[in-house]
Amino acid sequence: MSVPKTIEWIGDVDGHIRMIDQTLLPGELRMIDCRDLPTVWEAIKMLRVRGAPALGVTAAMAVVLGVQGAGQEEAAFFSKLDEACAHIATSRPTAVNLFWALDRMKRLAASLRGEPVEEIRRRLLDEAQAIRDEDAAMCRAIGEAGEHLIKEGMGVLTHCNAGGLATAEYGTALAPMYVAHERGRGFRVYADETRPLLQGARLTAWELQGAGIDVTVICDNMAACVMAAGKIDLVITGADRIAGNGDTANKVGTYGVATLARAHGIPFYVAAPSSTFDLSISSGAEIPIEHRDPREVACGFGQRTVPGNVPCYNQAFDVTPVELIAGFVTERGLMATGTGQKIADFLA
Ligand code: MRU
């Protein structure tokens, strides 16, 4: 199956963003075009585009959209740029890649002060394209760095979607699976359904099936018995933000999976590019955690499953303490935890 790009820029500086509307998968593969900032903000907020690295790429391209029509006057241009960045930053708080990309775009623009506005806009588009291309290259490198973890005949559990749909290409947690599959290894992936928005059932199963990888979906609450039955040899998830000490925020439920993996003696790895590490914070306690509309829990996909007026709690991410993580698979290689090596030194 040939799958369109998760997100791309169409045209020149006056062009637009095109992305897969992931809320419609697996039923329908539809592209949507975002031609202004409110449309792309809504697409981020509603998870039409989602996954930490893909949010970084989207934020960078959204900046290019946000400065369209700024005119030629430098002060007005920079004020529009600041306004656009501040607005994009209000969309979703947890994935650090979004803020990392905004900072990178702002720093580039600041370094070009004094150049004609048209030139700055062109360079911002080049930078957004570079962020996209670098993300694809980092994900491929993550695949190469982690593929040896997946041995013939293994069962591999993953949570949420950290595949090509969550990145520019390949994915993070799924990248080692794609590379192992390319190299002819046979293994089975168990995809947690990932309540409430079912990224595992809808997205991970869709993209692995499309790639010809053996995938089975389980309800989130089945992970323990599937592990106890000896079906899981390895767990790999992605990450939305990794603190300086290695504590990792990822889709809610990841902490539970890591705890179960420890209880069953199964190694739990986190795969992420360097843009997901936030070395400005020292522990997971400092990671801002998104809380979403409780209706996502009460009436997932149109059907109300909770009695009226019963409150629902909808925390979108949780933090897995570094003690439960065997290692980080990054584009720089695999960093085992518990060796005393500092993440900052590994990434330097
Ligand atoms: O709410 P989402 O779908 O954006 O959450 C995504 C995740 O938690 C992914 O596991 C994470 O971003 C890693 S994506 C490569």
Side-chain angles (χ1 to χ4, degrees), residues 14 40 62 69 74 90 137 165 194 205 208 222 238 248 262 270 275 307 348:
D14 288 316
V40 72
E74 187 180 271
T90 63
L165 288 167
T194 317
L208 290 180
M222 288 176 192
T248 296
R262 172 59 55 86
V270 169
S275 51

Side-chain angles (χ1 to χ4, degrees), residues 93-110:
T94 303
V96 73
N97 310 60
L98 184 145
F99 303 93
W100 166 87
L102 292 177
D103 282 351
R104 187 165 151 176
M105 297 294 277
K106 276 197 286 195
R107 261 186 285 118
L108 175 77

Side-chain angles (χ1 to χ4, degrees), residues 48-299:
R48 301 186 197 287
V49 63
R50 29 69 48 207
L55 291 178
V57 176
T58 309
M61 291 183 178
V63 171
V64 183
L65 269 188
V67 294
Q68 285 174 345
Q72 301 305 317
E73 208 263 306
E74 187 180 271
F77 170 81
F78 275 94
S79 131
K80 197 161 167 121
L81 176 80
D82 286 346
E83 227 173 81
C85 290
H87 185 56
I88 299 158
T90 63
S91 56
R92 295 191 74 193
T94 303
V96 73
N97 310 60
L98 184 145
F99 303 93
W100 166 87
L102 292 177
D103 282 351
R104 187 165 151 176
M105 297 294 277
K106 276 197 286 195
R107 261 186 285 118
L108 175 77
S111 75
L112 295 171
R113 269 187 188 275
E115 301 280 338
V117 163
E118 279 318 300
E119 173 62 12
I120 305 177
R121 286 180 61 207
R122 199 184 56 73
R123 294 282 297 277
L124 285 172
L125 175 57
D126 291 346
E127 192 73 355
Q129 299 279 28
I131 287 173
R132 192 223 156 267
D133 294 347
E134 286 167 23
D135 186 60
M138 287 193 290
C139 288
R140 179 69 203 186
I142 287 170
E144 297 286 347
E147 60 88 25
H148 69 281
L149 296 171
I150 302 173
K151 313 267 190 273
E152 181 66 32
M154 268 191 170
V156 185
L157 180 76
T158 190
H159 190 74
C160 194
N161 172 265
L165 288 167
T167 61
E169 272 177 67
Y170 304 112
T172 55
L174 299 197
M177 303 178 198
Y178 286 128
V179 177
H181 177 70
E182 261 174 44
R183 300 197 173 149
R185 245 161 283 150
F187 54 92
R188 170 168 295 167
V189 180
Y190 287 87
D192 277 345
E193 188 176 43
T194 317
R195 279 279 289 148
L197 296 178
L198 305 181
Q199 289 93 328
R202 296 188 302 107
L203 309 177
T204 297
W206 181 79
E207 61 166 279
L208 290 180
Q209 182 192 48
I213 295 178
D214 179 351
V215 58
T216 298
V217 172
I218 59 172
C219 299
D220 299 325
N221 49 8
M222 288 176 192
C225 65
V226 172
M227 287 183 186
K231 294 181 192 296
I232 308 295
D233 304 288
L234 172 71
V235 180
I236 315 182
T237 72
D240 286 82
R241 192 184 294 232
I242 303 170
N245 70 343
D247 291 349
T248 296
N250 193 50
K251 180 52 56 193
V252 71
T254 303
Y255 175 32
V257 171
T259 305
L260 289 172
R262 172 59 55 86
H264 291 86
I266 299 166
F268 174 94
Y269 284 92
V270 169
S274 47
S275 51
T276 302
F277 288 81
D278 183 355
L279 302 180
S280 74
I281 57 174
S282 57
S283 87
E286 295 168 69
I287 299 177
I289 298 292
E290 179 181 15
H291 287 250
R292 294 183 60 84
D293 190 328
R295 282 175 298 186
E296 290 179 350
V297 175
C299 0

Side-chain angles (χ1 to χ4, degrees), residues 23 49 166 175 272 311 341:
T23 63
V49 63
Q341 186 178 21

